[in-house]
Amino acid sequence: YVYYHNWFCDGTPEGKMGSPMSSFGKLFWLGISPPTVEGLEFFFPTAETRSRYDWDKRWNGASWDFYMGNMPSEVQRNLIWTEAQPCLGEYAVGVSLISFKDGIDCPEELRYMERKVVFPTRSSLDDCGAADMIFVFDRRSGSVIEAAASATQTLFICVLLAFGAMTFSNDASKLVLRPIERMISKLERIRSNPLEAMTLADAEYINQRSRMTDVRSSSQALRETLSWQGLLHIRSWLAGGTSRPGPEPMETVVLEKTIIKIGSLLALGFGEGGAQIISQNIQGSEFSTFNAMIPGRHVEAIFAQCSIRKFRDVTEVLQEQVMAFVNRIAGALHAVADELNGVPTKNNGGTFLIVWRLSGHNQSKQQRLADMSIVALMRIIAQVMRAPSVVEYSHNPQLLKRLPAYRLRLSFGLSSGWAIEGAIGSEFKVDPSHLSPDVSLTGRLDSFTREYGCHMLIDERTVKLMSPPVAQECRLIDHVQLQGWSDHFRLYTLDLEDSALHIEAKEGKHLPLQNRRPSRIRLRFEKQSLRDEYWSDEYQMHDFFDNDLDIARMRARFTEEFFCNFKMAYLNYEAGEWGAARDMLEAVRRLLPNDDTVSAALMRYMRKLSWKAPAGWSGYRLLLEK
């Protein structure tokens, strides 16, 4: 048995099988328990046995097919029972086969996993002489391999867990964390500027369209490269001719888009005037309820009110269609106002309020905003009056029956001053509004355009804000004091003849729905570039009077001779020389193909007073509302 598990078997002769000494176990200690002399004499050889024959020749297997090798003399000497030593706490006594080599005399000198103990299982106590034979194998080499394998296994598991954790973390980051971070980022942008939601919506739509285009391009290239058209038809036929629906979007994507849509709806519903209401409610984290009762803020601004003439009659005739009528006008009005830095804030049926906020800008930029306001009003008239979708109402049989020779006309009141900007309403409904006497003045100026028969009336303060070239285009027409108004001021107008405009052809009236959104986005980016251009100091706003064809057509009939003669007539009117003013105004009225309604309005007033200025005339009159 000792030779069969020979530790020292080196080199197996050719054609023979070697000892299984390499099977993770080498016999290095054998003994008996309990330790008795009879047991030692029974199990271990004596010195006489060793000298009687050569152990190697008898047991090395040289003449067998199974070769077990020679045993060193030191080991043979240790196998004598007299060399046995007590081990295992004197529980057993035995000999070590490797004490001369490794200095290990007992099994307990090796760790538990480095040794393996074997007992005979088929022998009885009588056979063993009331003692058990113990064989201990050295498994250090196997333990090293097992430790290496265990370490490799642990390392592999760590790598596998790390890879799994990274994969899970990447998926969690891609599907959850990044969308949440994007949502928080967009919420922060909407918090600071609620109007940013519209830009976010456009950017999201463009990105989605780009991704869809890339996917379609890749799929098309793959089909063309691999010639899969036939396979695709076969697959479609096998599937019953129906295509499988695409994967549903992730909940985080739906939530992200919902946030953008809600922000866009808030920005669209409240407008720039209500941006403060949205911002303060979103930033407030103490309560989740909506609080519309927030303090307003004082702003300096230019206000313009636009009215649709004879709106009551139009509403009664058009009935349900009046909404489309108003929305078509509002579309052109809002587009032009936005392009020229105006903010449409309120619509009350046939009236619109546009605001150019002056607060926070230096004098140069305030002057530019004043120029933009007057240019915006001219362009609104041009855009609305030559739009086919609006002009077609001039041919509406019902309108013509009610209002013969009906033609849409817009009137404007333009003033500047202060206002309190905030929310008006209750917890059930709020609207962004501007409240001040100066805002009310805008509405009163708009109503007085009917008396003067002009498109717009502008107060003196607003004209003084304009640049000199633009201010010179405005015509001084009266000096008035409004009822209930402590100050008197001069009134100006900007002469326009909207009948000189060319009507556009009806193109692109019925665009497919899928083509309207990209068109609006493209137009919005183009308008933003125009806004930046108009806002720069290098751009001269007066160039609109010379380069804009619509404005040039509407002002072509008003000549320099007309303006000079009217100015002399007005100076006589203001100086109280009403007789001279009457003659001059009569001459002015003949300079135009049609009558000058402003001159006619001044003459009506002077006629009521028999062409004589009242006593104490100070150059201005009390203008009463009808």
Side-chain angles (χ1 to χ4, degrees), residues 564-582:
C564 290
N565 290 344
F566 179 85
K567 183 176 181 181
M568 290 188 294
Y570 174 78
L571 290 176
N572 281 279
Y573 160 76
E574 193 173 89
E577 300 293 335
W578 285 11
R582 176 190 59 193

Side-chain angles (χ1 to χ4, degrees), residues 570-594:
Y570 174 78
L571 290 176
N572 281 279
Y573 160 76
E574 193 173 89
E577 300 293 335
W578 285 11
R582 176 190 59 193
D583 298 336
M584 291 181 181
L585 289 175
E586 286 286 1
V588 168
R589 295 174 68 178
R590 290 192 296 269
L591 292 175
L592 298 179
N594 300 319

Side-chain angles (χ1 to χ4, degrees), residues 132-279:
D132 287 330
M133 192 72 176
I134 302 175
F135 299 91
V136 182
F137 290 81
D138 181 1
R139 297 193 67 256
R140 283 180 293 178
S141 59
S143 178
V144 170
I145 296 175
E146 288 178 354
S150 179
T152 303
Q153 181 183 17
T154 302
L155 180 63
F156 173 76
I157 293 174
C158 291
V159 171
L160 188 62
L161 291 176
F163 177 77
M166 291 175 60
T167 304
F168 177 79
S169 175
N170 181 63
D171 291 342
S173 177
K174 179 180 179 181
L175 301 177
V176 180
L177 298 181
R178 290 182 199 167
I180 291 177
E181 290 175 355
R182 286 199 304 268
M183 284 186 278
I184 294 175
S185 174
K186 290 173 181 176
L187 277 175
E188 291 297 330
R189 292 176 63 180
I190 295 175
R191 272 184 175 185
S192 59
N193 181 14
L195 301 181
E196 188 76 12
M198 300 294 291
T199 305
L200 293 175
D202 292 343
E204 180 67 23
Y205 182 82
I206 292 173
N207 292 335
Q208 183 177 359
R209 295 276 298 183
S210 177
R211 288 193 296 268
M212 293 174 61
T213 302
D214 293 341
V215 170
R216 282 197 291 265
S217 299
S218 301
S219 301
Q220 182 66 23
L222 183 61
R223 285 195 295 266
E224 292 177 356
T225 302
L226 301 179
S227 300
W228 278 7
Q229 287 84 353
L231 295 177
L232 291 174
H233 286 302
I234 293 174
R235 187 182 66 176
S236 177
W237 177 75
L238 291 175
T242 59
S243 59
R244 292 179 297 177
E248 295 184 359
M250 297 293 294
E251 287 79 359
T252 51
V253 176
V254 175
L255 182 59
E256 184 177 357
K257 292 182 178 179
T258 302
I259 290 174
I260 296 176
K261 290 179 180 178
I262 293 175
S264 300
L265 289 173
L266 288 174
L268 189 63
F270 281 85
E272 188 169 342
Q276 182 188 14
I277 304 172
I278 304 172
S279 179

Side-chain angles (χ1 to χ4, degrees), residues 31-75:
I32 62 171
S33 176
T36 61
V37 176
E38 294 80 4
L40 290 174
E41 291 178 349
F42 178 79
F43 286 109
F44 289 93
T46 61
E48 180 182 357
T49 305
R50 183 186 175 205
S51 61
R52 189 181 307 163
Y53 55 87
D54 188 349
W55 290 358
D56 289 337
K57 291 182 179 180
R58 186 169 182 178
W59 303 108
N60 65 3
S63 58
W64 304 343
D65 292 336
F66 188 82
Y67 181 75
M68 294 181 289
N70 296 325
M71 190 75 67
S73 59
E74 294 87 348
V75 176

Side-chain angles (χ1 to χ4, degrees), residues 24-25 107-117 136-147:
F24 295 169
E108 60 264 29
E109 296 181 24
L110 297 181
R111 292 178 297 177
Y112 177 79
M113 69 285 297
E114 294 178 342
R115 65 178 187 260
K116 181 178 181 181
V117 181
V136 182
F137 290 81
D138 181 1
R139 297 193 67 256
R140 283 180 293 178
S141 59
S143 178
V144 170
I145 296 175
E146 288 178 354

